[in-house]
Amino acid sequence: MTIGFGFIGASDIAKNKMLAAIRNTPNCEVVSVYSSNLERGRAYAAETFIPHAASSLEDLLSNPAVNAVYISTTNELHYPQTLAAAQAGKHVLCEKPLAMSLTEAQAMQAACQTASVVFATNHHLRNAQAHHKMRELIAAGAIGKPIAARVFHAVYLREALQGWRLDKPEAGAGVVLDIVVHDVDTLRFVLQADPTEVVSLSQQFGMSAGMIEDGSMAVFRFDNGVIAQVHTAFTVPYAGNGFEVHGTEGSLIAKNVMHPAAQPEVLLRTARGDHLLELTANEVYNIGVERFVAAIQGQGTPAASGEDGIWSLAGALACLESARTGQKVAINL
């Protein structure tokens, strides 16, 4: 049985990442795309060889060839579109952040549960081999008891992506909802722990409009006692990226692991010396689609569930609140 995907949103990530990931998954195909601009949708469909451009969201969701949807519209649209997809009986793979509020995200999860459809978050970074190796080593006690972590994920936002991410607060603009959500999810995955509180500062360094943050630095506390520093930005072209976890018996020092196109490097440092792990840059989007499709077929769970997406959103929203109020903010679900 072929699983037909509908794209809700004619986006850059859908075209350049998810289209190939779906087509590389056995018995899967993208059968329709919906854009709020029909002419753009038709041009997008023609360029990507998608057989149908939907004239409306209802048109896409009423298509019997569509079994699942991938939602990559702007953030404020995820909530109503997920509810509509669930009501139509379609499985949902949604981009991060899931919604603009925890109430909306939790309602999305509840709607999918009621409709008995799979609900997943497209947190691709947790699928990286480097993060799986780090998670396994920490769980096996390779660095003793984890004490602290550091994520540096500051980039220069390329021109093609600038748009609404810099000037539309109603759509969830800013670096926190765009990047910090990924960092919270990756920390949760690798540490196998949940954040409990955060204190953060943000900056407006000239790329974004008004009071929208284009840089952020935060410290999260996790329920296993780890404190984690997270630096994100849209304004830094040469920082590189990395992820470190330091424990009582050793450290994991990783570079080029927060961007799937880079060649990853993870160093395990203990009293026995330095050991560089053997890693390859794997197809993280393919893994996400494969796990989502397997869950639809009743075989396991998505790589990142709706609950995972709710946790990452909670961390990001708390980060924004801390920067706004100047206070430490608790993260409660």
Side-chain angles (χ1 to χ4, degrees), residues 134 137-149 190-193 221-227 244-252 268-270:
M134 294 174 73
L137 286 168
I138 291 170
I143 63 168
K145 182 176 175 58
I147 299 170
V190 170
L191 297 172
Q192 299 189 66
R221 188 187 306 277
F222 284 77
D223 59 8
N224 63 350
V226 170
I227 55 173
E244 301 171 357
V245 184
H246 306 286
T248 55
E249 304 296 331
S251 292
L252 286 164
L268 172 62
R269 176 170 292 159
T270 67

Side-chain angles (χ1 to χ4, degrees), residues 118 126-127 132 286-296 299-304:
V118 175
R126 62 164 50 205
N127 300 324
H132 278 263
N286 287 26
I287 293 170
V289 171
E290 290 167 4
R291 291 279 302 273
F292 178 62
V293 169
I296 291 172
Q299 302 168 9
T301 58

Side-chain angles (χ1 to χ4, degrees), residues 1-6 19-31 65-68 91 286 289-290 292-294 296-297 299:
M1 174 184 171
T2 298
I3 294 178
F5 278 77
L19 186 64
I22 291 168
R23 288 175 172 168
N24 288 336
T25 303
N27 302 316
C28 291
E29 185 52 276
V30 180
V31 298
V66 173
N67 310 110
H91 304 283
N286 287 26
V289 171
E290 290 167 4
F292 178 62
V293 169
I296 291 172
Q297 296 169 333
Q299 302 168 9

Side-chain angles (χ1 to χ4, degrees), residues 22-53:
I22 291 168
R23 288 175 172 168
N24 288 336
T25 303
N27 302 316
C28 291
E29 185 52 276
V30 180
V31 298
S32 185
V33 58
Y34 164 64
S35 170
S36 58
N37 182 317
L38 180 56
E39 291 307 311
R40 182 172 187 268
R42 286 172 173 164
Y44 188 98
E47 179 187 357
T48 55
F49 303 101
I50 296 172
H52 180 252

